[in-house]
Amino acid sequence: TAPRHGIGAAVRADTLQTPLMVSGRRRRMLKYTKDHEWLRIDGDVATVGITPYAQEKLGDLVFVELPSVGTKLSKGAVAATVESVKAASEVYAPVGGEVLTVNERLTDEPGLVNTEPTGNGWLFRMKIADAAELDTLLDEQAYKNLTTAQDDH
């Protein structure tokens, strides 16, 4: 079987999606982890996926193992696994919380993570347990700086 490691060990540069602004009372924002997960935050719910940078490095995904709905995750815990023809990589919970729903489409169409990593290729949605943990995440510019530094090495 392919070696297992976090996505952070298998990444390459790509474009980033800018935060979404929606009318009404809620503002959505995009945050990133150093392990190359993204979160789209809408109130106390975060939609989680892997970044375009990470999916490009991993190559074509052939399997996605998602968490179970109701699973309580602590920040940094293994939440999902993505497998490509090259390797299997773990996806970590960017913040603590409870899994509300998973992207069932990925069972039959794991390639959605490649073609639409920040769109229909999302992995799971979770209720955020502690909003203060969001302060430890990267904004778009900080994430761009991180990936640029990794490309330079």
Side-chain angles (χ1 to χ4, degrees):
T1 63
R4 296 181 68 82
H5 52 78
I7 291 173
V11 293
R12 193 166 180 281
D14 197 84
T15 60
L16 300 174
Q17 183 172 326
T18 57
L20 293 176
M21 301 304 265
V22 293
S23 60
R25 297 182 341 185
R26 291 188 173 183
R27 190 182 100 238
R28 293 181 185 188
M29 72 176 120
L30 213 53
K31 293 281 206 170
Y32 303 88
T33 70
K34 292 179 181 176
D35 292 315
H36 307 284
E37 291 93 14
W38 60 263
L39 295 81
R40 185 171 298 111
I41 301 148
D42 186 5
D44 64 351
V45 175
T47 301
V48 180
I50 66 171
T51 65
Y53 186 96
Q55 70 77 23
E56 185 177 299
K57 183 65 175 180
L58 288 168
D60 292 335
L61 295 186
V62 295
F63 179 75
V64 177
E65 181 180 297
L66 298 168
S68 298
V69 171
T71 300
K72 291 186 182 349
L73 299 167
S74 56
K75 180 179 178 176
V78 174
T81 303
V82 292
E83 292 184 21
S84 71
V85 292
K86 296 182 196 178
S89 295
E90 294 172 334
V91 177
Y92 303 107
V95 294
E98 182 178 346
V99 177
L100 299 174
T101 186
V102 297
N103 189 349
E104 300 284 352
R105 286 182 65 187
L106 300 180
T107 302
D108 295 326
E109 300 177 74
L112 281 174
V113 175
N114 294 109
T115 59
E116 300 181 61
T118 57
N120 288 326
W122 61 276
L123 301 176
F124 61 93
R125 290 191 175 109
M126 65 189 304
K127 182 171 175 66
I128 300 167
D130 182 0
E133 288 182 339
L134 297 172
D135 295 337
T136 65
L137 302 175
L138 306 173
D139 63 17
E140 182 177 5
Q141 188 57 54
Y143 185 72
K144 276 186 178 177
N145 293 345
L146 173 76
T147 57
T148 299
Q150 288 179 344
D151 284 343
D152 291 342
H153 287 98

